[in-house]
Amino acid sequence: MEDLNKDLCLVLDCQDQAPWDVEVLKKNILHFMVHMVGKDPKMANQRDWYKSVIYLLRAILYERKVRMERTLQATRGRRVYYLSMEYLIGRNLRRTLIDLDLQDAVGQALKACGTSLEAVVDQELDPALGNGGLGRLAACILDSMATLGYPGIGYGIRYEFGMFTQRIEQGEQVEQPEDWLELGNPWETERHSVRFTVRFGGRVISFRDEKGREVIQWVDTNDVIAVAFDIPLTGFRTPTMTHLRLWSARASHDFDFRFFNEGNYIDAVKDKIDSENLSKVLYPNDNTLMGQELRLKQEYFFVSASLQDILRKFFLTESDIRRLPEQVAIHLNDTHPSLAVVELTRILIDTYKLSLEEAWEITRRTFSYTNHTLLPEALETWPIDILGKILPRHLDILYQVNHHHLTAVKYQFPGDPKMLGRVSLFDDHSRRVRMANLSVIGSKKVNGVAELHTQLMQSSFFADFSRMEPAKFENVTNGITQHRWLLQSNPELAALISQHLGEGWITDLPRLRALEGHLEDSGFRQRFADIKRNNKTRLARMVADRVGVRLDPSAMFDVQVKRIHEYKRQLLNVLHVITRYVRIRNGEIADPVPRAVIIGGKAAPGYHMAKLIIRLIVEVAKVINNDPIVRDRLKLVFLPNYNVSAAETIIPGSDLSEQISTPGTEASGTGNMKFALNGALTIGTLDGANIEILREVGDDNIFIFGMTADEVSALRQRGYNPAKYYEENPELHRVLDMIRDGFFCPDDPHRYTPIFDALVRGGDHFMLLADYEAYVACQDRIDQVYRDQAAWGRKAIINTANMGYFSIDRTVRTYAEKIWQVEPTKVPTSVRRGSRAKG
């Protein structure tokens, strides 16, 4: 193995681990500047230095990748393939430098080259590969897999323009292309030889061969080529790593000379344009038929290419397709990749000539599925007509699988025809295919992402499936990576912790609990408070730069940043802000605690109500922030274009974390964990992982309000009448009337009538009005606690100290043991020999 490692050491003379030689790093940075960037270092700009450093890191990581691949081929262990439509990996340079323990050394090397690390890091853009918690969780899981050495990779789509860049113009969200690839992405490597044909449309034919056997073929298809791009991802201070393989769509025929020669220049490249649309944007608006078809094609494109690649790798070491479940674990991150279940079944039947029964058994033993929501509108379904048009062979197989499935259910639960309708893959009433049902029956394991979510999953939406196979369901509470969300984003706090506890917490987060032993140390408490103040000052600068509003760091920073959706109840937050505004303006609060409320997040382009809520926030903020009576006692800010990089500044600078979803709607949440890890106190409902945070930090160190999930369900069953709350609560009545009557938009007094109507007359589906009084009362209690800064500081330290359970490493170990059944890989480190840079 030592000889093997020596063969791989080409770039740094085998120095791919600390301690790093600054002179060697400098020579190699200059080497890549000349030989890869193609620039004279004397003429290089900051972007050139950025690319040169990335090429150096890529070389180190690909040497590690080769060593890891050779080890895996020798051990022939099981591998995990993680399928997700989203990956919010964030900016990768500083994270990689920290993981490799290279940050100081590269900083010195760049200084010797005449530039600085900070200037180089600032060149990096956030990869536009996701939108919300789903994508951030996927990124954290890959981070932990690399750190813990579990063999596997992530698959996704290389979105050219991401979801969108959010701008606020005249109060409204405006979507603009997120052109993160405009200047190229030096992290990625295009794998020209890894390309697969993905088929759409066509028709299915059936005939008998010479032996009388039925042969079914999918013919006359429209084909697209999927091309692989790889991004290497490090583990923390470990020789193991992983990578993210992203698919980009290419036309099978780029150019039609016949049309071109006829002067029809548009049709000459039409196939190219249509094909490449598949990887242009994340979640194309599916409010139209064309949008639905594009989204379905996008999801199939992704899973088809991924499965072809997985099988290619499988056959490098295996010859019998029946051994697939023993060597391969494919994980579905929510329902978006669920077409992979029927695609693998199709491949096993059509390519490897297995029977339906055998193909289905192999499929079910290969897949696992994480459910992330119980909201009916978020559980994907596809119209039968659209699915049949785009994937006719798959629809045939779905009918066969459903018949096989329902036959088994009928024998297991005789005399219950309604159950057959509930567990069927097809909703006969709406003529749609239920992708969540497909994911459940096609997987060996199904997990929820918080204890409450898993309980509700088994007792409500998937109750019938739980009766059928109770051992199939597991809970794996989400987690976060402390490497990014504390070590990287809050370096002062990380240094304080390491000063008192050592660095063991970085790879063993439960060690943070020892911080409680320093609660009586006034010097530690003061330093903790000073660091929070510094982070708030940094956040205040960001707010001033982005929206021109100046915040006082001595005010309470009350933050809600997440995807804009009615169930997350940003609107409830606004109702409290208006209530507070009215109280201050009318002199109803003698000495209010100064508070800055910061809200951020994107609304889906076709989600009208969410976009209207954003506009309301912006216009309420404009009124409050310019009211001379209120002055600095209350500020409201909508911070546009929330992303991972913004979160790295926002989260450490927050005092109060708003986690106020309607109980029973938030699967888990991970933002709640990140805020608490950085010493923010939570105001929240008993929903998602808030329940587990409450258990870890204790009743006195979190602010819980409102109904439970059971109480929400009971109220809905009794008949919820939101107008009753409107009529009986004078403050709520006043606030809603201000919204309805145009107080915040005198130029268009009826602009927010739809919000009033949805809450008072439209059923208030997410029960904001039912929880309003409890929420406002809880906010009043928070004011009283915040006045005692010493007490608040103790609670903040207790929150940080008790976040160990929420490490993503605990999450991934649980997946590895209970879901994937994989073992970590032991990869040897390299051997050092000399220090001369290679040319």
Side-chain angles (χ1 to χ4, degrees), residues 707 715 718 720-730 732-733 736 764 768-773:
M707 296 179 288
L715 179 56
R718 288 198 308 270
Y720 172 51
N721 179 17
K724 171 178 175 291
Y725 296 87
Y726 168 69
E727 295 295 343
E728 293 180 357
N729 187 314
L732 177 60
H733 196 292
L736 289 172
D764 182 23
L768 282 70
L769 305 194
D771 266 348
Y772 167 84
E773 185 174 355

Side-chain angles (χ1 to χ4, degrees), residues 9-244:
C9 299
L10 304 175
V11 178
L12 290 176
D13 281 328
C14 294
Q15 185 188 349
D16 73 345
Q17 54 190 321
W20 299 90
D21 186 313
V22 173
E23 186 61 29
V24 170
L25 288 171
K26 175 188 171 184
K27 289 179 179 179
N28 278 278
I29 290 171
L30 294 173
H31 164 84
F32 283 106
M33 176 66 75
V34 174
H35 292 87
M36 290 292 291
V37 182
K39 290 287 287 287
D40 181 341
K42 293 182 179 180
M43 304 297 291
N45 58 33
Q46 297 300 339
R47 182 75 186 178
D48 297 326
W49 289 113
Y50 165 71
K51 291 165 71 174
S52 183
V53 172
I54 300 301
Y55 291 140
L56 167 63
L57 297 177
R58 257 183 28 178
I60 295 170
L61 295 180
Y62 279 133
E63 286 181 6
R64 293 185 172 196
K65 179 179 182 293
V66 172
R67 279 196 293 275
M68 188 167 181
E69 284 295 329
R70 291 187 180 182
T71 302
L72 288 171
Q73 288 177 13
T75 58
R76 297 178 69 173
R78 200 159 191 248
R79 301 195 191 194
V80 178
Y81 299 99
Y82 195 83
L83 272 56
S84 178
M85 287 289 284
E86 296 187 41
Y87 291 92
L88 275 174
I89 60 176
R91 296 194 291 180
N92 204 29
L93 175 52
R94 192 183 298 278
R95 169 189 173 274
T96 302
L97 292 173
I98 291 172
D99 283 351
L100 296 176
D101 199 12
L102 257 173
Q103 185 168 223
D104 291 342
V106 166
Q108 294 175 47
L110 286 170
K111 184 177 180 181
C113 291
T115 185
S116 71
L117 177 60
E118 292 306 314
V120 170
V121 167
D122 284 345
Q123 296 300 306
E124 190 163 30
L125 300 176
D126 279 51
L129 300 173
N131 176 39
L134 183 79
R136 187 53 234 168
L137 174 72
C140 282
I141 285 176
L142 293 187
D143 178 289
S144 182
M145 286 174 64
T147 296
L148 299 177
Y150 290 112
I153 68 170
Y155 282 104
I157 295 179
R158 182 180 179 265
Y159 303 107
E160 186 175 344
F161 297 113
M163 189 171 179
F164 58 83
T165 294
Q166 182 190 54
R167 300 277 184 262
I168 302 298
E169 297 180 5
Q170 298 181 335
E172 295 186 86
Q173 170 179 293
V174 175
E175 301 91 19
Q176 296 178 344
E178 199 167 3
D179 199 2
W180 69 289
L181 291 171
E182 181 181 12
L183 300 177
N185 176 19
W187 282 111
E188 68 182 12
T189 300
E190 181 175 359
R191 302 296 187 189
H192 296 278
S193 62
V194 182
R195 51 177 56 216
F196 300 103
T197 300
V198 179
R199 299 186 290 164
F200 300 101
R203 58 195 177 92
V204 177
I205 61 173
S206 173
F207 58 89
R208 298 281 175 181
D209 65 12
E210 66 279 1
K211 295 183 179 180
R213 295 172 299 194
E214 184 180 33
V215 177
I216 298 176
Q217 293 182 349
W218 184 17
V219 299
D220 299 335
T221 55
N222 299 310
D223 298 346
V224 174
I225 305 300
V227 180
F229 287 76
D230 287 352
I231 298 176
L233 299 172
T234 51
F236 181 78
R237 313 283 162 87
T238 173
T240 53
M241 61 165 295
T242 186
H243 67 277
L244 179 57

Side-chain angles (χ1 to χ4, degrees), residues 737-752:
D737 284 355
M738 291 171 71
I739 293 172
R740 180 196 61 194
D741 297 337
F743 182 91
F744 301 102
C745 53
D747 59 314
D748 183 4
H750 302 296
R751 180 176 294 151
Y752 301 114

Side-chain angles (χ1 to χ4, degrees), residues 341 344-345 348 358-367 442-443:
V341 174
L344 179 58
T345 307
L348 294 174
E358 189 175 14
W360 183 242
E361 180 59 24
I362 291 172
T363 297
R364 294 181 77 235
R365 291 169 52 211
T366 303
F367 283 99
S443 297

